[in-house]
Amino acid sequence: KNEVEQSPQNLTAQEGEFITINCSYSVGISALHWLQQHPGGGIVSLFMLSSGKKKHGRLIATINIQEKHSSLHITASHPRDSAVYICAATGNQFYFGTGTSLTVIP
Amino acid sequence: GAVVSQHPSRVICKSGTSVKIECRSLDFQATTMFWYRQFPKQSLMLMATSNEGSKATYEQGVEKDKFLINHASLTLSTLTVTSAHPEDSSFYICSALNPGGAYQETQYFGPGTRLLVL
């Protein structure tokens, strides 16, 4: 079992839809990251969370430490949001989820 | 699944010495590898993109003479921190691009190397 589990693995949405990607982890962590990867590109760090909620533009990330769960929400999704989203937990080392491939259709 | 290893996982060195960190893709060939850095309580920062057989592409603000990257084979990239100083203490993470991965050009991350310069 992976230390970090993401769901769904693949997601297709219509432009404008509200999107949620979930991440559960089983290890003790100091922070949780949400990363974005466009095809052929490096990773872009979207959020780093240790508690509560953060918002940046149309992106919102939340974390529940007690439940060891985090969610990434995208409001009013756009085709340029199409990418792989990766949840990564920082403890003694980095534990990465397998990623969620998001495709937003115009 | 695809695995990327890093060595060493932790290193402590004296100021002024150089430290080499290795990043290996264990079961696939990676023409492209990335190096990231994470300062304490901060998010990841992309340092450079390493392409096999050619010079690395450094992000703005990253000193190429300070952080030497060599991608000599399809399974190995090295990052050498030259004349390390305490401010170089950080968590260094590599990732390797797997063109045959589950998604197109899936990227797999190494577990990271924690560097402490005294």
Side-chain angles (χ1 to χ4, degrees):
Chain A
K1 188 179 186 300
N2 293 331
E3 290 86 356
V4 176
E5 299 277 1
Q6 271 184 251
S7 64
Q9 225 178 355
N10 295 284
L11 181 58
T12 301
Q14 288 291 136
E15 183 174 0
E17 285 186 10
F18 180 83
I19 290 163
T20 296
I21 300 171
N22 295 301
C23 175
S24 297
Y25 55 92
S26 59
V27 294
I29 67 168
S30 56
L32 187 129
H33 301 257
W34 280 101
L35 311 173
Q36 181 192 57
Q37 176 199 9
H38 286 280
I43 294 286
V44 173
S45 179
L46 299 174
F47 294 104
M48 184 183 72
L49 291 166
S50 55
S51 65
K53 175 181 174 179
K54 285 189 177 180
K55 183 176 189 293
H56 180 71
R58 295 180 294 106
L59 303 178
I60 303 167
T62 63
I63 187 168
N64 185 317
I65 300 295
Q66 286 73 30
E67 295 184 359
K68 294 190 173 181
H69 181 269
S70 176
S71 293
L72 175 68
H73 306 285
I74 304 175
T75 61
S77 59
H78 190 274
R80 63 175 175 267
D81 297 326
S82 298
V84 174
Y85 292 84
I86 303 166
C87 168
T90 304
N92 292 325
Q93 65 183 59
F94 257 96
Y95 301 95
F96 291 91
T98 53
T100 295
S101 181
L102 170 65
T103 303
V104 181
I105 301 171
Chain B
V3 176
V4 173
S5 69
Q6 276 185 245
H7 177 80
S9 58
R10 293 175 181 270
V11 56
I12 301 173
C13 69
K14 291 183 179 180
S15 183
T17 61
S18 294
V19 176
K20 181 185 285 189
I21 302 169
E22 294 184 348
C23 176
R24 293 182 186 273
S25 57
L26 298 184
D27 54 2
F28 65 95
Q29 293 184 329
T31 55
T32 303
M33 292 184 173
F34 300 96
W35 286 98
Y36 298 85
R37 182 175 181 178
Q38 184 194 31
F39 293 98
K41 299 184 180 180
Q42 294 186 27
S43 192
L44 292 170
M45 180 189 79
L46 177 64
M47 297 175 67
T49 302
S50 168
N51 294 295
E52 188 267 337
S54 64
K55 291 184 179 180
T57 302
Y58 290 82
E59 295 299 301
Q60 191 173 6
V62 178
E63 299 175 60
K64 60 181 180 181
D65 295 329
K66 173 75 172 177
F67 299 99
L68 299 178
I69 291 173
N70 186 342
H71 193 157
S73 79
L74 288 171
T75 59
L76 173 65
S77 175
T78 60
L79 168 68
T80 301
V81 183
T82 61
S83 186
H85 287 92
E87 58 265 30
D88 298 324
S89 299
S90 191
F91 194 51
Y92 293 89
I93 304 155
C94 76
S95 67
L97 215 54
N98 181 2
Y103 314 118
Q104 187 177 4
E105 297 187 314
T106 300
Q107 191 168 158
Y108 294 92
F109 286 82
T113 296
R114 200 167 291 281
L115 170 64
L116 177 61
V117 184
L118 301 176

